[in-house]
Amino acid sequence: MKAFNQHTGIAAPMDRANVDTDMIIPKQFLKSIKRTGFGKNLFDELRYLDEGQPDQECTGRPLNEKFVLNQPRYKGASILLARENFGCGSSREHAPWALDDYGFRSVIAPSFAEIFYNNCFKNGILPIVLKEQEVDQLFREVAANEGYELTVDLEKQCVVTPSGTEMAFEIDAFRKHCLLNGLDDIGLTLEHADDIRAYESRRRQEAPWLFDAIK
Amino acid sequence: MAGQTLYDKLFASHLVRSNEDGSALIYIDRQLLHEVTSPQAFEGLRIAGRKPWRIDANLATPDHNVPTTNRSGGVSEIADPVSKIQVITLDENCDDFGILEFKMNDVRQGIVHVVGPEQGATLPGTTVVCGDSHTATHGAFGALAHGIGTSEVEHVLATQCLITKKMKNMLVRVDGQLGAGVTAKDIVLHVIGKIGTAGGTGYAIEFGGEAIRSLSMDGRMTICNMAIEAGARVGLVAVDQTTIDYVEGRPFAPKGEQWDAAVAAWRDLVSDADAAFDTVVEINAADIEPQVTWGTSPEMVVGVNAQVPNPANETDPVKIEGMKRALEYMGLQAGQAISDIHLDRVFIGSCTNSRIEDLRAAAEVVKGKKVAATIKQALVVPGSGLVKAQAEKEGLDKIFIEAGLEWREPGCSMCLAMNPDKLGAGEHCASTSNRNFEGRQGFGGRTHLVSPAMAAAAAVAGHFVDVRTLGNH
Ligand code: SF4
């Protein structure tokens, strides 16, 4: 997994609640068997005026000029500002893959859907929960200032605005540790292989019907 | 000390180790695999040179991409080349790693969440995961079941465990009895309307109360299936005789002496009388009407006899904006009667409502009637090959076909339109699936979520009607 420590970049505001993973990456792109290449189809239905197809070249497609990521001032954005319940719906990890491939390193929202939140960490993207008033403030500031950049500091657990305001956020100690160090959690879990085997032999006594049934 | 909830018990019995930082390693008894969220996980295993920890804990079947029209030609006949590669990739991965897969033309193939319970792979007291958010379905069996991402699919394949954190406990108690013509689907849509699509975030929701106890397993699965639409990764129903009767005799269920031991253990899979829930939601079953969603989020739902709500009656600006956007996308007016929404297509299927009882309920409504001339297409897609076979044995296929509905092969179909079954832009669909998101059933498509009986009634009328007025009940 990619490590994440500190990042400064342009913030782009996605001003709607309940943005679901179908919206982040529509289903036709889920047919890919790869993890990469989803960035050009991030928010496909909002971003383009036509219906996108997998494996299609996107450079000539008609753009929805109104969509936030198509506005020149948000070009190169790497921090997404979002509203409540971001990432709800399907568990598709293609959603963080698409955000990552597009260039987003962090998403800031008042709340996230759990599976999406979890999936972000596996892909080196930092999802940050701030208070609703703080998110409101960021939305106001980003609208008022072209080229508005935020700094996201995982070590210090805060978001820093251009005027120097620091907004603190909470994060699980385990997730923070893994993300800071870019650790592969399969490797970490396999360090406990003895515990897993011990559990299995105990469980086999208690509930033998759970083993060797599916074949 | 307060007693334990069902969720507490399931969590405790699967705990491999807990870490000081609050994370926990839990053991996974069953992993279901399908073609969309597994290829990158298998690829990850190969790159790292890892093997699956336990082959016999996995069961696979392709469902999202498979065509629902005649597929006697097998995988090679999947018209969309990208879909075809995905299905072939699942076949190859399962063959390579020795995982049992019900391939496309196996009669046991179907939607993973229909297949797992039907085969007895899903058992009370198990942990079940799948790279699919509707894994919550399996909680109907008193199993701890939830959706995971592809990295976690790989993690479970490699370690048989998941790194997780304990959730909070919510009880949704539905007291009293449902009115005639009101179904499990209406209960769950009503609950989502009440607590919102993020209302269950961070919780495992246990559904209890008399109305839930009186439901069949098919109905309980419908309810747990949509826990995720209320924000909860986990939905649960306590084990009772209904659960045990359903499981008995299924292919992967325990037999003989093991069966007796298992049943004895399963009897304890209920929340203790003095268990403490962090949140309790109380609902009176008699208040629930047949539900119809009008917007682009499952919480945008009302009773069939209501009107499309007016954003002007709300105060929260984010909510008002969301409602306005939904009305525009759906092409509806605030104040319009739900029964005035005219439909173009009808879809009866998905992991929410494609089991035998769902098909029986729909067939009962359309029997001897005809689909309205204004409906372009009405699809019935059974959840598995075995559901299909059972329905045909009961003659349900004939009832549907005579009424003008199409009888298809099993799969996800128009629930998310990854295969050729989809809505055209602007078309309204009465759908028994679980998500009415923008574009979910096809680019620009407009989805209204309803129960199978309500979808069938809408197919006949051409618009929404209260199924209770049709005299079938
Ligand atoms: S039927 Fe729909 S919701 Fe269920 S698994 Fe298939 S695509 Fe997902």
Side-chain angles (χ1 to χ4, degrees):
Chain A
M1 175 166 82
K2 264 195 307 202
F4 188 110
N5 188 346
Q6 202 199 58
H7 174 78
T8 301
I10 293 188
M14 179 80 189
D15 197 1
R16 58 201 279 170
N18 298 316
V19 168
D20 56 73
T21 52
D22 279 77
M23 210 179 276
I24 298 173
I25 182 87
K27 67 250 164 186
Q28 62 270 37
F29 307 108
L30 272 48
K31 295 178 184 179
S32 166
I33 56 171
K34 303 199 202 83
R35 272 175 201 261
T36 51
F38 296 103
K40 63 186 195 316
N41 301 112
L42 174 71
F43 297 120
D44 199 273
E45 292 185 4
L46 301 173
R47 197 161 143 199
Y48 304 99
L49 295 170
D50 61 344
E51 182 180 359
Q53 300 304 333
D55 289 337
Q56 176 188 19
E57 200 25 77
C58 289
T59 39
R61 293 176 59 195
L63 292 177
N64 173 6
E65 303 293 346
K66 284 202 215 127
F67 181 60
V68 54
L69 298 183
N70 289 333
Q71 297 169 20
R73 59 182 291 190
Y74 299 117
K75 195 166 187 300
S78 56
I79 297 174
L80 190 66
L81 268 186
R83 295 292 188 185
E84 63 183 43
N85 202 25
F86 187 84
C88 62
S90 143
S91 63
R92 59 189 71 163
E93 200 158 319
H94 312 67
W97 294 338
L99 286 163
D100 176 55
D101 198 50
Y102 183 90
F104 283 111
R105 300 300 321 277
S106 178
V107 186
I108 301 174
S111 61
F112 291 91
E114 288 169 65
I115 303 180
F116 173 82
Y117 183 80
N118 214 11
N119 283 342
C120 283
F121 287 98
K122 314 279 178 195
N123 294 284
I125 296 178
L126 176 60
I128 296 177
V129 178
L130 291 181
K131 295 194 196 71
E132 196 134 3
Q133 309 88 285
E134 291 172 330
V135 173
D136 279 344
Q137 182 187 335
L138 296 179
F139 267 96
R140 280 197 304 275
E141 291 184 7
V142 78
N145 303 287
E146 193 159 341
Y148 186 84
E149 287 195 346
L150 290 171
T151 294
V152 167
D153 192 328
L154 174 58
E155 180 67 58
K156 293 205 331 229
Q157 292 187 215
C158 68
V159 175
V160 190
T161 72
S163 61
T165 307
E166 293 194 2
M167 300 175 173
F169 61 86
E170 295 289 317
I171 180 168
D172 246 46
F174 177 73
R175 286 184 166 131
K176 179 175 175 179
H177 174 71
C178 289
L179 198 50
L180 279 173
N181 299 293
L183 298 177
D184 157 28
D185 48 4
I186 296 181
L188 286 180
T189 298
L190 288 173
E191 288 176 13
H192 304 302
D194 288 346
D195 290 340
I196 303 172
R197 282 191 205 99
Y199 173 89
E200 279 180 329
S201 56
R202 199 171 73 231
R203 191 73 174 152
R204 213 180 249 280
Q205 300 293 315
E206 286 168 13
W209 58 87
L210 296 177
F211 295 82
D212 307 319
I214 301 177
K215 49 192 172 188
Chain B
M1 207 183 89
Q4 289 184 301
T5 64
L6 170 57
Y7 170 71
D8 295 339
K9 292 180 185 181
L10 292 167
F11 191 87
S13 63
H14 288 87
L15 190 63
V16 172
R17 56 173 283 130
S18 38
N19 301 316
E20 297 90 63
D21 56 27
S23 68
L25 200 60
I26 64 165
Y27 190 80
I28 301 303
D29 297 311
R30 298 285 183 259
Q31 170 151 255
L32 303 168
L33 298 155
H34 64 73
E35 78 277 22
V36 180
T37 53
S38 67
Q40 297 87 350
F42 283 112
E43 180 198 52
L45 277 190
R46 280 202 188 88
I47 291 171
R50 290 176 174 134
K51 291 247 167 310
W53 181 277
R54 219 187 104 193
I55 305 284
D56 73 296
N58 297 285
L59 178 62
T61 191
D63 53 7
H64 286 63
N65 275 287
V66 298
T68 57
T69 42
N70 179 1
R71 53 196 193 202
S72 50
V75 180
S76 62
E77 266 190 41
I78 302 180
D80 177 344
V82 203
S83 289
K84 187 186 337 185
I85 290 174
Q86 208 166 45
V87 175
I88 291 175
T89 304
L90 179 69
D91 292 354
E92 289 175 352
N93 282 328
C94 291
D95 291 348
D96 282 4
F97 288 103
I99 290 171
L100 179 64
E101 182 198 5
F102 299 152
K103 295 201 165 74
M104 200 173 93
N105 282 5
D106 190 313
V107 69
R108 298 167 297 178
Q109 176 271 343
I111 306 171
V112 275
H113 309 308
V114 175
V115 169
E118 183 173 79
Q119 292 294 322
T122 304
L123 293 173
T126 52
T127 41
V128 182
V129 294
C130 173
D132 193 289
S133 59
H134 290 101
T135 310
T137 311
H138 310 265
F141 290 81
L144 175 53
H146 56 76
I148 55 177
T150 297
S151 296
E152 289 176 318
V153 171
E154 183 182 340
H155 190 279
V156 173
L157 280 169
T159 70
Q160 212 52 51
C161 290
L162 198 62
I163 301 168
T164 186
K165 229 184 135 168
K166 199 161 176 217
M167 302 173 197
K168 290 182 286 181
N169 282 290
M170 181 188 286
L171 174 65
V172 172
R173 209 179 61 224
V174 190
D175 294 316
Q177 289 175 0
L178 285 178
V182 184
T183 67
K185 182 65 165 285
D186 303 304
I187 297 181
V188 73
L189 285 171
H190 180 88
V191 169
I192 295 163
K194 184 158 170 156
I195 71 173
T197 46
T201 304
Y203 290 95
I205 301 182
E206 179 174 343
F207 296 93
E210 188 190 348
I212 304 292
R213 294 258 69 82
S214 354
L215 291 173
S216 66
M217 289 315 294
D218 284 9
R220 294 177 189 184
M221 283 189 258
T222 299
I223 294 202
C224 290
N225 173 275
M226 288 191 74
I228 187 71
E229 271 66 53
R233 295 173 75 178
V234 167
L236 285 166
V237 175
V239 171
D240 60 12
Q241 195 58 41
T242 306
T243 325
I244 292 165
D245 290 345
Y246 179 100
V247 174
E248 189 166 16
R250 306 249 158 206
F252 301 134
K255 310 264 159 14
E257 270 174 38
Q258 283 202 356
W259 170 255
D260 299 333
V263 170
W266 295 343
R267 296 275 183 207
D268 186 45
L269 296 172
V270 296
S271 289
D272 295 335
D274 58 344
F277 286 87
D278 301 284
T279 303
V280 177
V281 177
E282 291 170 21
I283 287 172
N284 185 355
D287 294 342
I288 305 176
E289 296 214 289
Q291 304 282 300
V292 180
T293 66
W294 58 268
T296 52
S297 164
E299 70 186 15
M300 294 173 167
V301 66
V302 291
V304 59
N305 298 308
Q307 284 81 37
V308 174
N310 192 337
N313 299 335
E314 296 293 332
T315 49
D316 172 8
V318 176
K319 188 160 185 195
I320 292 174
E321 211 28 61
M323 287 175 76
K324 282 189 186 157
R325 206 186 321 246
L327 287 176
E328 192 189 325
Y329 180 85
M330 295 296 290
L332 297 175
Q333 303 296 324
Q336 178 180 354
I338 292 293
S339 56
D340 279 348
I341 300 174
H342 285 264
L343 298 159
D344 302 287
R345 293 183 201 260
V346 173
F347 171 61
I348 297 172
S350 88
C351 58
T352 315
N353 284 126
S354 63
R355 285 169 283 266
I356 190 67
E357 290 177 14
D358 301 315
L359 303 187
R360 285 181 193 141
E364 188 187 328
V365 172
V366 301
K367 188 170 188 176
K369 304 201 176 83
K370 289 275 179 229
V371 169
T374 49
I375 299 280
K376 293 180 200 160
Q377 182 181 46
L379 283 184
V380 187
V381 184
S384 72
L386 291 173
V387 170
K388 179 171 187 256
Q390 178 63 31
E392 289 175 353
K393 208 167 111 191
E394 297 176 20
L396 304 185
D397 57 326
K398 294 204 182 58
I399 296 176
F400 288 126
I401 293 165
E402 273 163 26
L405 293 97
E406 295 175 36
W407 179 243
R408 294 291 189 93
E409 297 294 326
C412 294
S413 178
M414 207 190 270
C415 173
L416 94 165
M418 267 183 92
N419 78 344
D421 309 335
K422 47 183 85 155
L423 299 182
E427 288 180 347
H428 286 268
C429 177
S431 177
T432 67
S433 56
N434 43 51
R435 288 190 175 135
N436 51 353
F437 299 158
E438 289 182 19
R440 170 82 179 180
Q441 293 193 289
F443 186 72
R446 295 161 168 170
T447 302
H448 301 274
L449 304 175
V450 288
S451 73
M454 283 287 289
V460 172
H463 56 90
F464 287 114
V465 285
D466 186 341
V467 65
R468 295 171 300 184
T469 62
L470 297 185
N472 297 73
H473 296 280

